[in-house]
Amino acid sequence: MITVGFFVSPGFQMLDLAGPAGAFEAASGNGGPSYRIHLLSAEAGGVSNSLDMETATASLDDAVLDTLLVIGGRIDLSISATTLSRLVEASARCRRVASVCTGAFTLAAAGLLDGRRATTHWRYAARLQREYPSIKVEADRIFCRDGNVWTSAGITAGIDLALALMEEDHGFDVAKGVAQHLVVYHRRHGGQSQFAASLDLAPKNDRIAAALGYARDHIADALSVERMADAVGMSLRQFSRTFRAQTGATPARVVERIRADLARGRLEATADSVERIAESVGFGDAENMRKAFIRVYGQPPQSIRRAIRS
């Protein structure tokens, strides 16, 4: 029986808790290894979550834990120095400590990430690095381990984290079985920047949305701004102005990002050469693709492929 404590603060993200807690619950079914789950807060009692629903918790001070997970939520929430000190004391009694999503900010404020590698939701990674420069923030990781301290990326990445913790506890087959039960990837390929890169490519303007669809359908072709504007019946000037207003970037940069997303998917899912992938998505050659990957993901295609294989 492994005891896992989830530490929550007011306004915590409900899925940050429910995702990994549900994974540990699934592991305990059908005669599998058992996890006992405790919901904890600074003081015993009800804590309101992101849905404004109250969740009953026990006191952190009374918990005897193997693993402590700090749940994310509002990063503008001021956590008292006393509570942070109690988190440090609790973590010292545990075999390992972890955070889900923006829970990394709480671990950082407590000093538990000093000098360590860590990750958090891609949207807040730069802020975590800026506010806590002693941390080596790895913004593209789904989860990150440094010694006995684990951190995960945004929201659903808490499930990935829970599966990795289970694999450490009970092996590959148990974690894979839980993933199959939950109908999720056992080991999700790629980093979270793949979600960041595509998030804002959902324009409200129907013509710009159609232009993006046209680009995806003809991604292997030379996609000039003139061709995209003509495809949706707009003048070049109107198209360029509206496109930037709707996406926050130029057509050339957005097409590059679409190509990079498609290329990354093929890097992860196929054994095709970088040269062949580059040609298939319109980069033309491997060097153009390498430059684009560094701009979009901060690393070349070969590094991403090596990380997936490892």
Side-chain angles (χ1 to χ4, degrees):
M1 177 70 70
I2 294 177
T3 305
V4 180
F6 290 86
F7 179 81
V8 299
S9 301
F12 71 91
Q13 169 57 243
M14 187 61 181
L15 191 53
D16 281 7
L17 169 63
F24 286 119
E25 177 190 23
S28 300
N30 301 317
S34 296
Y35 286 90
R36 179 180 290 118
I37 296 171
H38 292 280
L39 302 185
L40 309 168
S41 63
E43 305 294 340
V47 179
S48 293
N49 60 38
S50 57
L51 299 177
D52 203 26
M53 299 164 57
E54 195 167 87
T55 302
T57 67
S59 171
L60 174 68
D61 294 338
D62 298 331
V64 179
L65 306 171
D66 172 88
T67 303
L68 174 63
L69 275 79
V70 177
I71 301 304
R74 292 163 43 197
I75 60 176
D76 59 344
L77 180 68
S78 177
I79 298 179
S80 71
T82 299
T83 298
L84 293 175
S85 177
R86 290 159 66 187
L87 274 171
V88 172
E89 293 173 3
S91 70
R93 302 193 300 268
C94 298
R95 176 167 61 100
R96 61 193 174 193
V97 62
S99 65
V100 180
C101 194
T102 55
F105 282 82
T106 301
L107 292 187
L112 294 171
L113 297 182
D114 288 352
R116 295 184 183 272
R117 295 178 295 108
T119 193
T120 187
H121 192 292
W122 65 266
R123 190 184 296 276
Y124 303 106
R127 176 172 173 178
L128 182 65
Q129 186 67 85
R130 184 173 62 251
E131 295 184 1
Y132 300 96
S134 70
I135 302 172
K136 182 182 178 183
V137 177
E138 299 191 353
D140 196 37
R141 300 289 294 275
I142 296 294
F143 64 85
C144 181
R145 178 185 186 179
D146 191 322
N148 70 331
V149 179
W150 303 62
T151 51
S152 75
I155 308 180
T156 60
I159 299 174
D160 300 82
L161 173 67
L163 292 171
L165 295 175
M166 283 177 218
E167 186 166 338
E168 181 185 49
D169 294 337
H170 302 293
F172 176 91
D173 290 340
V174 168
K176 182 179 179 181
V178 172
Q180 290 172 328
H181 175 76
L182 296 176
V183 198
V184 299
Y185 288 110
H186 173 209
R187 291 174 175 169
R188 192 169 4 167
H189 293 314
Q192 60 173 332
S193 65
Q194 62 187 302
F195 307 105
S198 299
L199 186 68
D200 58 351
L201 300 184
K204 296 179 181 179
N205 184 288
D206 290 342
R207 289 191 178 186
I208 301 303
L212 292 177
Y214 179 86
R216 292 186 179 98
D217 291 342
H218 299 82
I219 200 63
D221 301 344
L223 288 168
S224 66
V225 181
E226 291 83 359
R227 179 175 175 179
M228 293 174 66
D230 184 63
V232 295
M234 297 176 71
S235 70
L236 179 60
R237 182 177 179 181
Q238 180 190 20
F239 177 77
S240 298
R241 183 175 64 249
T242 307
F243 194 99
R244 181 181 281 275
Q246 290 285 307
T247 67
T250 66
R253 278 287 177 254
V254 169
V255 168
E256 178 182 76
R257 288 166 60 177
I258 294 172
R259 285 179 168 142
D261 279 351
L262 292 172
R264 180 168 186 159
R266 295 181 190 184
L267 275 174
E268 296 169 354
T270 76
D272 291 348
S273 67
V274 172
E275 291 77 9
R276 183 174 180 180
I277 293 171
E279 184 178 353
S280 72
V281 300
F283 279 125
D285 58 45
E287 179 60 18
N288 286 335
M289 180 167 152
R290 186 189 70 82
K291 292 176 180 177
F293 265 54
I294 290 173
R295 282 191 291 268
V296 175
Y297 302 121
Q299 54 186 322
Q302 292 84 351
S303 295
I304 291 175
R305 175 164 272 177
R306 280 196 297 270
I308 293 302
R309 287 176 175 172
S310 66

